[in-house]
Amino acid sequence: MKKGVILAGGKGTRLLPLTGVTNKHLLPVGKEPMIWHSIRQLVISGITDILIVTSCEHMGDIVNSLGSGQQFGCQLTYRVQDEAKGIAHALLLAKNFVGKEKIIVLLADNIFEYSISEHVDRFTNQEEGGYVLVKEVNEPSRYGIAALDEKQIILIEEKPNFPKSNYAIVGCYMYDTQVFNIIKSIKPSTRGEFEITDVNNVYARNGQLKYGFVRGKWTDAGTFHSLLEANSLLLSVDNKIVS
């Protein structure tokens, strides 16, 4: 049994003035609101019990868009992140929802051409630890970059000046229940946020962070340029997810 968590918080300041009137994850991508893509990805992967985490000011609009989840064939639960203290902080809000199940976490601004179901299946068969998706990028100094061997992640460096590879960690993370104790053990960064890279590096140091390569195109729709890319990608496939 697995559960899904979609993180749709943050202020989206790089997309102002658009995000001055709505949550970034409700902006149109192709023919639908951005967050619909993440829900479809999870449902296609057999995950129908899903938690949405967003800010208090946008919760009403998110609920109005998604409802109970019936239209997607899933059941949705909602939690408010009162303060923007980072991805790991938002994920900690899912502890009671997850219970003793494995979790698949998606950042709601990440858009994938292909289904993530093959990775979910691999993770399901993994005895313990975490699993992340990586994608080769042209400008590795803009991303969290993985040093990896044939089977697992060795280290992740955030926006390195001298990257050890061209493989970026994208916004899809899969964890066992260790993740919540790991989040509680890390300290906030200089930005005052609890960073998901620190969580992933704990798994990596323990030799428990496996990975898979993203097939096809991927983008995170966090800037005007990447939002345009995301629109172009999903319009080209009529907002369908390639299996």
Side-chain angles (χ1 to χ4, degrees), residues 103-176:
I103 54 169
I104 286 75
V105 183
L106 282 173
L107 305 187
D109 61 357
N110 275 236
I111 305 297
F112 300 86
E113 180 180 10
Y114 282 82
S115 168
I116 63 168
S117 59
E118 64 179 297
H119 302 288
V120 173
D121 290 343
R122 287 180 202 160
F123 174 64
T124 300
N125 295 322
Q126 186 175 312
E127 288 188 10
E128 62 180 2
Y131 183 105
V132 294
L133 271 61
V134 300
K135 178 69 174 174
E136 192 168 14
V137 294
N138 293 325
E139 298 179 76
S141 60
R142 292 180 52 217
Y143 300 92
I145 296 296
L148 41 84
D149 66 16
E150 292 179 358
K151 293 185 178 181
Q152 60 193 27
I153 305 288
I154 306 301
L155 176 71
I156 301 168
E157 295 180 296
E158 197 63 35
K159 299 179 180 177
N161 291 323
F162 304 100
K164 292 181 170 62
S165 79
N166 289 330
Y167 288 103
I169 305 292
V170 307
C172 178
Y173 320 105
M174 309 184 196
Y175 301 116
D176 61 9

Side-chain angles (χ1 to χ4, degrees), residues 202-215:
V202 173
Y203 275 110
R205 285 195 297 271
N206 293 337
Q208 293 184 337
L209 190 60
K210 299 187 183 300
Y211 66 90
F213 296 105
V214 173
R215 281 198 298 148

